[in-house]
PDB file of all heavy atoms in Angstrom:
ATOM      1  N   VAL I 173       0.155 -16.793  -6.783  1.00 90.00           N
ATOM      2  CA  VAL I 173       0.249 -15.488  -7.422  1.00 90.00           C
ATOM      3  C   VAL I 173      -1.119 -14.822  -7.316  1.00 90.00           C
ATOM      4  O   VAL I 173      -2.115 -15.353  -7.800  1.00 90.00           O
ATOM      5  CB  VAL I 173       0.658 -15.610  -8.909  1.00 90.00           C
ATOM      6  CG1 VAL I 173       0.734 -14.229  -9.547  1.00 90.00           C
ATOM      7  CG2 VAL I 173       1.980 -16.348  -9.044  1.00 90.00           C
ATOM      8  N   ILE I 174      -1.170 -13.669  -6.671  1.00 92.00           N
ATOM      9  CA  ILE I 174      -2.410 -12.915  -6.500  1.00 92.00           C
ATOM     10  C   ILE I 174      -2.220 -11.576  -7.206  1.00 92.00           C
ATOM     11  O   ILE I 174      -1.286 -10.841  -6.893  1.00 92.00           O
ATOM     12  CB  ILE I 174      -2.740 -12.692  -5.015  1.00 92.00           C
ATOM     13  CG1 ILE I 174      -2.816 -14.036  -4.279  1.00 92.00           C
ATOM     14  CG2 ILE I 174      -4.051 -11.921  -4.868  1.00 92.00           C
ATOM     15  CD1 ILE I 174      -2.943 -13.908  -2.775  1.00 92.00           C
ATOM     16  N   LYS I 175      -3.132 -11.275  -8.151  1.00 94.00           N
ATOM     17  CA  LYS I 175      -3.019 -10.037  -8.925  1.00 94.00           C
ATOM     18  C   LYS I 175      -4.209  -9.113  -8.666  1.00 94.00           C
ATOM     19  O   LYS I 175      -5.351  -9.552  -8.640  1.00 94.00           O
ATOM     20  CB  LYS I 175      -2.939 -10.346 -10.417  1.00 94.00           C
ATOM     21  CG  LYS I 175      -1.667 -11.059 -10.810  1.00 94.00           C
ATOM     22  CD  LYS I 175      -1.597 -11.259 -12.299  1.00 94.00           C
ATOM     23  CE  LYS I 175      -0.303 -11.957 -12.680  1.00 94.00           C
ATOM     24  NZ  LYS I 175      -0.229 -12.172 -14.138  1.00 94.00           N
ATOM     25  N   ASN I 176      -3.901  -7.860  -8.531  1.00 94.00           N
ATOM     26  CA  ASN I 176      -4.874  -6.784  -8.369  1.00 94.00           C
ATOM     27  C   ASN I 176      -5.229  -6.312  -9.779  1.00 94.00           C
ATOM     28  O   ASN I 176      -4.696  -5.332 -10.271  1.00 94.00           O
ATOM     29  CB  ASN I 176      -4.238  -5.667  -7.532  1.00 94.00           C
ATOM     30  CG  ASN I 176      -5.151  -4.517  -7.243  1.00 94.00           C
ATOM     31  OD1 ASN I 176      -6.277  -4.464  -7.710  1.00 94.00           O
ATOM     32  ND2 ASN I 176      -4.649  -3.563  -6.483  1.00 94.00           N
ATOM     33  N   ILE I 177      -6.136  -7.027 -10.445  1.00 94.00           N
ATOM     34  CA  ILE I 177      -6.354  -6.819 -11.877  1.00 94.00           C
ATOM     35  C   ILE I 177      -6.972  -5.476 -12.234  1.00 94.00           C
ATOM     36  O   ILE I 177      -6.808  -5.007 -13.346  1.00 94.00           O
ATOM     37  CB  ILE I 177      -7.172  -7.976 -12.496  1.00 94.00           C
ATOM     38  CG1 ILE I 177      -8.507  -8.159 -11.784  1.00 94.00           C
ATOM     39  CG2 ILE I 177      -6.365  -9.250 -12.501  1.00 94.00           C
ATOM     40  CD1 ILE I 177      -9.397  -9.217 -12.409  1.00 94.00           C
ATOM     41  N   ASP I 178      -7.680  -4.838 -11.310  1.00 92.00           N
ATOM     42  CA  ASP I 178      -8.298  -3.538 -11.587  1.00 92.00           C
ATOM     43  C   ASP I 178      -7.588  -2.386 -10.893  1.00 92.00           C
ATOM     44  O   ASP I 178      -8.132  -1.277 -10.818  1.00 92.00           O
ATOM     45  CB  ASP I 178      -9.779  -3.562 -11.174  1.00 92.00           C
ATOM     46  CG  ASP I 178     -10.596  -4.515 -12.023  1.00 92.00           C
ATOM     47  OD1 ASP I 178     -10.324  -4.604 -13.234  1.00 92.00           O
ATOM     48  OD2 ASP I 178     -11.492  -5.179 -11.480  1.00 92.00           O
ATOM     49  N   ASP I 179      -6.380  -2.646 -10.367  1.00 91.00           N
ATOM     50  CA  ASP I 179      -5.623  -1.620  -9.633  1.00 91.00           C
ATOM     51  C   ASP I 179      -6.476  -0.974  -8.553  1.00 91.00           C
ATOM     52  O   ASP I 179      -6.508   0.243  -8.384  1.00 91.00           O
ATOM     53  CB  ASP I 179      -5.064  -0.560 -10.581  1.00 91.00           C
ATOM     54  CG  ASP I 179      -4.028  -1.123 -11.532  1.00 91.00           C
ATOM     55  OD1 ASP I 179      -3.493  -2.209 -11.255  1.00 91.00           O
ATOM     56  OD2 ASP I 179      -3.751  -0.477 -12.559  1.00 91.00           O
ATOM     57  N   ASN I 180      -7.184  -1.794  -7.809  1.00 93.00           N
ATOM     58  CA  ASN I 180      -8.096  -1.348  -6.767  1.00 93.00           C
ATOM     59  C   ASN I 180      -7.324  -1.042  -5.491  1.00 93.00           C
ATOM     60  O   ASN I 180      -6.487  -1.842  -5.058  1.00 93.00           O
ATOM     61  CB  ASN I 180      -9.138  -2.448  -6.531  1.00 93.00           C
ATOM     62  CG  ASN I 180     -10.175  -2.062  -5.535  1.00 93.00           C
ATOM     63  OD1 ASN I 180      -9.918  -2.067  -4.340  1.00 93.00           O
ATOM     64  ND2 ASN I 180     -11.365  -1.737  -6.022  1.00 93.00           N
ATOM     65  N   LEU I 181      -7.594   0.106  -4.883  1.00 92.00           N
ATOM     66  CA  LEU I 181      -6.882   0.519  -3.675  1.00 92.00           C
ATOM     67  C   LEU I 181      -7.160  -0.424  -2.499  1.00 92.00           C
ATOM     68  O   LEU I 181      -6.249  -0.755  -1.741  1.00 92.00           O
ATOM     69  CB  LEU I 181      -7.254   1.952  -3.301  1.00 92.00           C
ATOM     70  CG  LEU I 181      -6.480   2.553  -2.134  1.00 92.00           C
ATOM     71  CD1 LEU I 181      -4.984   2.523  -2.388  1.00 92.00           C
ATOM     72  CD2 LEU I 181      -6.935   3.980  -1.877  1.00 92.00           C
ATOM     73  N   LEU I 182      -8.389  -0.889  -2.339  1.00 94.00           N
ATOM     74  CA  LEU I 182      -8.706  -1.838  -1.274  1.00 94.00           C
ATOM     75  C   LEU I 182      -7.886  -3.108  -1.438  1.00 94.00           C
ATOM     76  O   LEU I 182      -7.281  -3.598  -0.476  1.00 94.00           O
ATOM     77  CB  LEU I 182     -10.201  -2.179  -1.272  1.00 94.00           C
ATOM     78  CG  LEU I 182     -10.588  -3.315  -0.319  1.00 94.00           C
ATOM     79  CD1 LEU I 182     -10.564  -2.843   1.129  1.00 94.00           C
ATOM     80  CD2 LEU I 182     -11.931  -3.896  -0.676  1.00 94.00           C
ATOM     81  N   VAL I 183      -7.849  -3.643  -2.651  1.00 94.00           N
ATOM     82  CA  VAL I 183      -7.076  -4.865  -2.902  1.00 94.00           C
ATOM     83  C   VAL I 183      -5.599  -4.616  -2.624  1.00 94.00           C
ATOM     84  O   VAL I 183      -4.915  -5.452  -2.039  1.00 94.00           O
ATOM     85  CB  VAL I 183      -7.297  -5.390  -4.336  1.00 94.00           C
ATOM     86  CG1 VAL I 183      -6.385  -6.573  -4.637  1.00 94.00           C
ATOM     87  CG2 VAL I 183      -8.763  -5.786  -4.535  1.00 94.00           C
ATOM     88  N   SER I 184      -5.103  -3.452  -3.001  1.00 93.00           N
ATOM     89  CA  SER I 184      -3.714  -3.101  -2.719  1.00 93.00           C
ATOM     90  C   SER I 184      -3.451  -3.112  -1.213  1.00 93.00           C
ATOM     91  O   SER I 184      -2.429  -3.641  -0.754  1.00 93.00           O
ATOM     92  CB  SER I 184      -3.378  -1.731  -3.302  1.00 93.00           C
ATOM     93  OG  SER I 184      -2.036  -1.388  -3.044  1.00 93.00           O
ATOM     94  N   ASP I 185      -4.371  -2.566  -0.436  1.00 93.00           N
ATOM     95  CA  ASP I 185      -4.216  -2.552   1.021  1.00 93.00           C
ATOM     96  C   ASP I 185      -4.264  -3.972   1.596  1.00 93.00           C
ATOM     97  O   ASP I 185      -3.518  -4.305   2.519  1.00 93.00           O
ATOM     98  CB  ASP I 185      -5.290  -1.686   1.665  1.00 93.00           C
ATOM     99  CG  ASP I 185      -5.096  -0.199   1.386  1.00 93.00           C
ATOM    100  OD1 ASP I 185      -4.005   0.183   0.913  1.00 93.00           O
ATOM    101  OD2 ASP I 185      -6.035   0.571   1.636  1.00 93.00           O
ATOM    102  N   ILE I 186      -5.154  -4.800   1.051  1.00 93.00           N
ATOM    103  CA  ILE I 186      -5.229  -6.202   1.493  1.00 93.00           C
ATOM    104  C   ILE I 186      -3.906  -6.905   1.191  1.00 93.00           C
ATOM    105  O   ILE I 186      -3.342  -7.594   2.046  1.00 93.00           O
ATOM    106  CB  ILE I 186      -6.405  -6.933   0.815  1.00 93.00           C
ATOM    107  CG1 ILE I 186      -7.745  -6.379   1.308  1.00 93.00           C
ATOM    108  CG2 ILE I 186      -6.321  -8.447   1.075  1.00 93.00           C
ATOM    109  CD1 ILE I 186      -8.943  -6.840   0.498  1.00 93.00           C
ATOM    110  N   LEU I 187      -3.395  -6.704  -0.014  1.00 92.00           N
ATOM    111  CA  LEU I 187      -2.127  -7.340  -0.395  1.00 92.00           C
ATOM    112  C   LEU I 187      -0.962  -6.807   0.432  1.00 92.00           C
ATOM    113  O   LEU I 187      -0.037  -7.554   0.760  1.00 92.00           O
ATOM    114  CB  LEU I 187      -1.863  -7.151  -1.888  1.00 92.00           C
ATOM    115  CG  LEU I 187      -2.819  -7.887  -2.831  1.00 92.00           C
ATOM    116  CD1 LEU I 187      -2.489  -7.558  -4.276  1.00 92.00           C
ATOM    117  CD2 LEU I 187      -2.783  -9.379  -2.591  1.00 92.00           C
ATOM    118  N   SER I 188      -1.012  -5.541   0.791  1.00 92.00           N
ATOM    119  CA  SER I 188       0.040  -4.970   1.632  1.00 92.00           C
ATOM    120  C   SER I 188       0.044  -5.630   3.014  1.00 92.00           C
ATOM    121  O   SER I 188       1.101  -6.003   3.535  1.00 92.00           O
ATOM    122  CB  SER I 188      -0.164  -3.462   1.765  1.00 92.00           C
ATOM    123  OG  SER I 188       0.817  -2.903   2.596  1.00 92.00           O
ATOM    124  N   SER I 189      -1.133  -5.784   3.600  1.00 92.00           N
ATOM    125  CA  SER I 189      -1.232  -6.474   4.900  1.00 92.00           C
ATOM    126  C   SER I 189      -0.774  -7.912   4.776  1.00 92.00           C
ATOM    127  O   SER I 189      -0.058  -8.432   5.634  1.00 92.00           O
ATOM    128  CB  SER I 189      -2.671  -6.451   5.409  1.00 92.00           C
ATOM    129  OG  SER I 189      -3.030  -5.161   5.787  1.00 92.00           O
ATOM    130  N   TYR I 190      -1.181  -8.548   3.699  1.00 89.00           N
ATOM    131  CA  TYR I 190      -0.776  -9.939   3.450  1.00 89.00           C
ATOM    132  C   TYR I 190       0.742 -10.032   3.325  1.00 89.00           C
ATOM    133  O   TYR I 190       1.364 -10.923   3.898  1.00 89.00           O
ATOM    134  CB  TYR I 190      -1.469 -10.427   2.174  1.00 89.00           C
ATOM    135  CG  TYR I 190      -1.112 -11.826   1.767  1.00 89.00           C
ATOM    136  CD1 TYR I 190      -1.411 -12.915   2.576  1.00 89.00           C
ATOM    137  CD2 TYR I 190      -0.489 -12.070   0.554  1.00 89.00           C
ATOM    138  CE1 TYR I 190      -1.091 -14.206   2.193  1.00 89.00           C
ATOM    139  CE2 TYR I 190      -0.174 -13.354   0.159  1.00 89.00           C
ATOM    140  CZ  TYR I 190      -0.474 -14.409   0.974  1.00 89.00           C
ATOM    141  OH  TYR I 190      -0.153 -15.690   0.583  1.00 89.00           O
ATOM    142  N   GLN I 191       1.333  -9.099   2.598  1.00 88.00           N
ATOM    143  CA  GLN I 191       2.784  -9.091   2.429  1.00 88.00           C
ATOM    144  C   GLN I 191       3.488  -8.983   3.776  1.00 88.00           C
ATOM    145  O   GLN I 191       4.463  -9.674   4.039  1.00 88.00           O
ATOM    146  CB  GLN I 191       3.211  -7.940   1.528  1.00 88.00           C
ATOM    147  CG  GLN I 191       4.718  -7.801   1.421  1.00 88.00           C
ATOM    148  CD  GLN I 191       5.157  -6.466   0.870  1.00 88.00           C
ATOM    149  OE1 GLN I 191       4.338  -5.582   0.629  1.00 88.00           O
ATOM    150  NE2 GLN I 191       6.445  -6.314   0.682  1.00 88.00           N
ATOM    151  N   GLN I 192       3.000  -8.095   4.653  1.00 86.00           N
ATOM    152  CA  GLN I 192       3.620  -7.910   5.956  1.00 86.00           C
ATOM    153  C   GLN I 192       3.602  -9.196   6.772  1.00 86.00           C
ATOM    154  O   GLN I 192       4.585  -9.548   7.403  1.00 86.00           O
ATOM    155  CB  GLN I 192       2.922  -6.787   6.716  1.00 86.00           C
ATOM    156  CG  GLN I 192       3.166  -5.426   6.119  1.00 86.00           C
ATOM    157  CD  GLN I 192       2.310  -4.357   6.773  1.00 86.00           C
ATOM    158  OE1 GLN I 192       1.588  -4.596   7.723  1.00 86.00           O
ATOM    159  NE2 GLN I 192       2.381  -3.145   6.239  1.00 86.00           N
ATOM    160  N   VAL I 193       2.474  -9.893   6.735  1.00 84.00           N
ATOM    161  CA  VAL I 193       2.353 -11.128   7.517  1.00 84.00           C
ATOM    162  C   VAL I 193       3.166 -12.253   6.891  1.00 84.00           C
ATOM    163  O   VAL I 193       3.910 -12.951   7.573  1.00 84.00           O
ATOM    164  CB  VAL I 193       0.869 -11.543   7.661  1.00 84.00           C
ATOM    165  CG1 VAL I 193       0.748 -12.914   8.296  1.00 84.00           C
ATOM    166  CG2 VAL I 193       0.107 -10.511   8.467  1.00 84.00           C
ATOM    167  N   ILE I 194       3.030 -12.427   5.592  1.00 80.00           N
ATOM    168  CA  ILE I 194       3.687 -13.560   4.930  1.00 80.00           C
ATOM    169  C   ILE I 194       5.206 -13.396   4.908  1.00 80.00           C
ATOM    170  O   ILE I 194       5.938 -14.374   4.933  1.00 80.00           O
ATOM    171  CB  ILE I 194       3.112 -13.786   3.509  1.00 80.00           C
ATOM    172  CG1 ILE I 194       3.341 -15.220   3.041  1.00 80.00           C
ATOM    173  CG2 ILE I 194       3.666 -12.818   2.509  1.00 80.00           C
ATOM    174  CD1 ILE I 194       2.501 -16.247   3.683  1.00 80.00           C
ATOM    175  N   SER I 195       5.682 -12.165   4.891  1.00 76.00           N
ATOM    176  CA  SER I 195       7.131 -11.929   4.874  1.00 76.00           C
ATOM    177  C   SER I 195       7.799 -12.423   6.148  1.00 76.00           C
ATOM    178  O   SER I 195       8.969 -12.794   6.136  1.00 76.00           O
ATOM    179  CB  SER I 195       7.440 -10.446   4.682  1.00 76.00           C
ATOM    180  OG  SER I 195       7.054 -10.041   3.398  1.00 76.00           O
ATOM    181  N   THR I 196       7.057 -12.450   7.244  1.00 72.00           N
ATOM    182  CA  THR I 196       7.635 -12.952   8.490  1.00 72.00           C
ATOM    183  C   THR I 196       7.691 -14.473   8.501  1.00 72.00           C
ATOM    184  O   THR I 196       8.437 -15.058   9.263  1.00 72.00           O
ATOM    185  CB  THR I 196       6.818 -12.482   9.709  1.00 72.00           C
ATOM    186  OG1 THR I 196       5.503 -13.017   9.635  1.00 72.00           O
ATOM    187  CG2 THR I 196       6.770 -10.980   9.791  1.00 72.00           C
ATOM    188  N   LYS I 197       6.913 -15.118   7.642  1.00 65.00           N
ATOM    189  CA  LYS I 197       6.850 -16.575   7.618  1.00 65.00           C
ATOM    190  C   LYS I 197       7.654 -17.180   6.477  1.00 65.00           C
ATOM    191  O   LYS I 197       7.947 -18.349   6.477  1.00 65.00           O
ATOM    192  CB  LYS I 197       5.403 -17.036   7.522  1.00 65.00           C
ATOM    193  CG  LYS I 197       4.547 -16.513   8.658  1.00 65.00           C
ATOM    194  CD  LYS I 197       3.238 -17.196   8.733  1.00 65.00           C
ATOM    195  CE  LYS I 197       2.414 -16.713   9.897  1.00 65.00           C
ATOM    196  NZ  LYS I 197       3.006 -16.855  11.187  1.00 65.00           N
ATOM    197  N   SER I 198       7.967 -16.395   5.467  1.00 56.00           N
ATOM    198  CA  SER I 198       8.674 -16.900   4.294  1.00 56.00           C
ATOM    199  C   SER I 198       9.506 -15.784   3.696  1.00 56.00           C
ATOM    200  O   SER I 198       9.077 -14.645   3.660  1.00 56.00           O
ATOM    201  CB  SER I 198       7.654 -17.392   3.252  1.00 56.00           C
ATOM    202  OG  SER I 198       8.274 -17.592   2.017  1.00 56.00           O
ATOM    203  N   ASN I 199      10.691 -16.112   3.218  1.00 58.00           N
ATOM    204  CA  ASN I 199      11.477 -15.083   2.574  1.00 58.00           C
ATOM    205  C   ASN I 199      11.365 -15.171   1.055  1.00 58.00           C
ATOM    206  O   ASN I 199      12.100 -14.538   0.346  1.00 58.00           O
ATOM    207  CB  ASN I 199      12.946 -15.102   3.013  1.00 58.00           C
ATOM    208  CG  ASN I 199      13.455 -16.481   3.321  1.00 58.00           C
ATOM    209  OD1 ASN I 199      12.725 -17.450   3.265  1.00 58.00           O
ATOM    210  ND2 ASN I 199      14.721 -16.579   3.645  1.00 58.00           N
ATOM    211  N   GLU I 200      10.414 -15.937   0.557  1.00 74.00           N
ATOM    212  CA  GLU I 200      10.192 -16.071  -0.876  1.00 74.00           C
ATOM    213  C   GLU I 200       8.937 -15.302  -1.267  1.00 74.00           C
ATOM    214  O   GLU I 200       7.904 -15.870  -1.592  1.00 74.00           O
ATOM    215  CB  GLU I 200      10.056 -17.547  -1.257  1.00 74.00           C
ATOM    216  CG  GLU I 200      11.299 -18.374  -1.009  1.00 74.00           C
ATOM    217  CD  GLU I 200      12.456 -17.983  -1.921  1.00 74.00           C
ATOM    218  OE1 GLU I 200      12.205 -17.551  -3.059  1.00 74.00           O
ATOM    219  OE2 GLU I 200      13.605 -18.099  -1.484  1.00 74.00           O
ATOM    220  N   VAL I 201       9.006 -13.976  -1.199  1.00 80.00           N
ATOM    221  CA  VAL I 201       7.867 -13.117  -1.516  1.00 80.00           C
ATOM    222  C   VAL I 201       8.329 -12.072  -2.524  1.00 80.00           C
ATOM    223  O   VAL I 201       9.351 -11.431  -2.344  1.00 80.00           O
ATOM    224  CB  VAL I 201       7.319 -12.407  -0.255  1.00 80.00           C
ATOM    225  CG1 VAL I 201       6.179 -11.478  -0.612  1.00 80.00           C
ATOM    226  CG2 VAL I 201       6.887 -13.420   0.786  1.00 80.00           C
TER     227      VAL I 201
END
């Protein structure tokens, strides 16, 4: 579980990229 605790736009973009990659490897996201 990774949380963007300060609602930071950079962290949101990092998590978005991470989501795109991890979604192709796992359907538990």
Side-chain angles (χ1 to χ4, degrees):
V173 179
I174 304 172
K175 293 184 179 179
N176 182 356
I177 57 176
D178 294 323
D179 295 342
N180 183 284
L181 186 57
L182 172 74
V183 174
S184 180
D185 290 347
I186 292 168
L187 292 177
S188 179
S189 290
Y190 178 63
Q191 175 196 4
Q192 291 172 4
V193 172
I194 203 73
S195 292
T196 63
K197 302 193 178 302
S198 166
N199 33 357
E200 296 293 329
V201 178

